[in-house]
């Protein structure tokens, strides 16, 4: 059952979207992001996860349907308001030439700055907090393009955090990280959720989705195949349906959450 529009932090309502001169990638997608939850978007490569996040953040205009942010159509919001309410960590971002870590994180504050206003103590504090949470303080003066993939990913996450929005969308935030940093990132997102933020993340690791998500949206071929609590979605049958993967699902001995064992 689709949740009723307006109750969630974000709703896609019969959303059709894609790229110029191509068949739409998303066809009539209806999906909700519960407020205060951690929503994991899962699905095979090319199924439209990044496209959905772009439509959620208005980087992509829908060809049909709409996206609601707190129940209001995002099409009608001012860009500055949108930027104060949601931030996106894209799957890949080009690093501006010659930029240092602290400078890049400071860019997260642009949406908060007013014309003629100076950099404020509040801006300074948000940047410091974002760098502390992502543990990149010791990298502050480094050139971003000299960092390892994992370090760079933490800088991008810090940029999104510095924006200090109630809604945070992250496209594969753990992909370039080693296993320890993957967990550190997931725990960070979990703690942000516990502090009241709404988190949406594209995750490839289903065990991570099982452990950290409160809501899972499973996509295939530009459609939502299933959405609900992790335990209801991460089943042998659904995983076969969504990924075409034959697997066993067993409970994690410590957490009881589903663990996926491909056969
Ligand atoms: N900028 C683009 N221009 C044209 N086609 C694109 C673009 N980005 C993605 N696509 C296509 O849209 C489909 C869905 O891509 P994407 O949303 O990136 O999938 P996912 O994130 O699930 O891997 C793919 O077929 C992909 O080739
Ligand atoms: Mg993607």
């Amino acid at each position: 059952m689709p949740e009723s529009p307006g109750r969630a932090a974000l709703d896609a309502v019969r959303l059709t979207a894609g790229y110029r001169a191509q068949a739409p990638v998303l066809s009539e997608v209806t999906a909700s992001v519960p407020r205060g939850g951690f929503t994991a978007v899962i699905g095979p490569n090319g199924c439209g996860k990044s496209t959905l996040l772009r439509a959620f953040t208005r980087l992509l205009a829908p060809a049909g349907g709409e996206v609601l942010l707190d129940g209001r159509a995002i099409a009608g919001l001012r860009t500055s308001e949108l930027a104060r309410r949601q931030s996106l960590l894209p799957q890949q971002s080009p690093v501006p030439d010659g930029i240092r870590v602290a400078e890049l994180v400071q860019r997260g504050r642009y949406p908060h700055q007013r014309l003629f206003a100076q950099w404020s103590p509040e801006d300074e504090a948000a940047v410091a907090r974002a760098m502390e949470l992502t543990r990149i303080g010791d990298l502050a003066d480094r050139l971003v393009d000299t960092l390892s993939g994992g370090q760079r990913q933490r800088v991008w996450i810090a940029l999104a955090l510095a924006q200090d929005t109630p809604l945070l969308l992250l496209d594969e935030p753990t992909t370039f990280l080693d296993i320890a940093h993957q967990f550190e990132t997931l725990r960070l997102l979990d703690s942000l959720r516990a502090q009241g933020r709404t988190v949406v993340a594209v995750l490839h690791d289903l065990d991570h989705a099982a452990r950290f998500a409160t809501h899972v949206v499973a996509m295939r071929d530009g459609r939502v195949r299933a959405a609900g609590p992790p335990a209801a979605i991460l089943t042998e049958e659904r995983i076969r349906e969504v990924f075409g993967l034959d697997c066993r699902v067993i409970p994690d001995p410590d957490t009881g959450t589903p663990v996926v064992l491909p056969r």
Side-chain angles (χ1 to χ4, degrees):
M1 274 286 288
E3 289 148 286
S4 56
R7 305 216 114 164
L10 271 175
D11 288 286
V13 186
R14 300 180 65 108
L15 180 71
T16 297
Y19 305 91
R20 224 171 263 271
Q22 275 183 23
V25 173
L26 305 176
S27 334
E28 304 226 338
V29 165
T30 293
S32 287
V33 169
R35 195 189 314 279
F38 183 146
T39 296
V41 180
I42 63 168
N45 290 329
C47 72
K49 303 178 297 295
S50 295
T51 303
L52 179 62
L53 260 57
R54 285 187 203 119
F56 270 155
T57 51
R58 211 174 65 184
L59 294 177
L60 201 59
E66 60 179 349
V67 172
L68 307 177
L69 174 62
D70 295 322
R72 282 169 60 207
I74 60 166
L77 294 179
R78 296 162 65 111
T79 304
S80 56
E81 186 181 351
L82 205 56
R84 281 194 295 270
R85 291 169 63 180
Q86 51 170 229
S87 57
L88 171 70
L89 171 76
Q91 194 171 343
Q92 278 150 351
S93 312
V95 175
D97 265 344
I99 198 164
R100 291 181 195 278
V101 167
E103 278 174 84
L104 187 57
V105 178
Q106 284 163 9
R107 294 198 175 185
R109 298 305 299 166
Y110 286 3
H112 291 271
Q113 275 160 10
R114 286 164 217 280
L115 214 54
F116 306 123
Q118 296 295 312
W119 184 252
S120 71
E122 196 183 317
D123 293 323
E124 196 63 49
V127 168
R129 197 164 52 237
M131 292 183 63
E132 191 190 316
L133 286 169
T134 50
R135 297 178 201 271
I136 56 168
D138 54 337
L139 303 176
D141 297 323
R142 289 275 301 274
L143 287 168
V144 177
D145 53 21
T146 66
L147 301 179
S148 73
Q151 291 171 324
R152 198 177 301 180
Q153 183 67 315
R154 278 148 63 206
V155 174
W156 286 117
I157 294 172
L159 168 66
L161 288 180
Q163 211 174 314
D164 207 11
T165 56
L167 176 59
L168 202 53
L169 300 100
L170 308 101
D171 199 345
E172 300 195 21
T174 52
T175 295
F176 298 108
L177 305 180
D178 64 59
I179 188 154
H181 282 118
Q182 286 179 17
F183 271 86
E184 189 175 310
T185 300
L186 290 163
R187 286 200 195 95
L188 168 60
L189 298 178
D190 184 54
S191 73
L192 293 168
R193 179 203 54 75
Q195 291 159 31
R197 301 219 216 178
T198 301
V199 175
V200 182
V202 174
L203 297 178
H204 276 302
D205 191 314
L206 302 183
D207 301 338
H208 292 173
R211 235 170 112 169
F212 291 95
T214 58
H215 186 72
V216 175
V217 173
M219 298 181 67
R220 177 168 183 157
D221 298 334
R223 293 169 190 275
V224 173
R225 281 302 180 93
I233 306 303
L234 299 167
T235 64
E236 293 173 6
E237 203 180 337
R238 293 268 194 220
I239 292 167
R240 190 174 311 114
E241 190 183 314
V242 171
F243 291 94
L245 178 73
D246 188 20
C247 66
R248 277 187 71 188
V249 174
I250 59 165
D252 181 305
D254 291 331
T255 58
T257 56
V259 175
V260 177
L261 302 173
R263 283 194 217 258

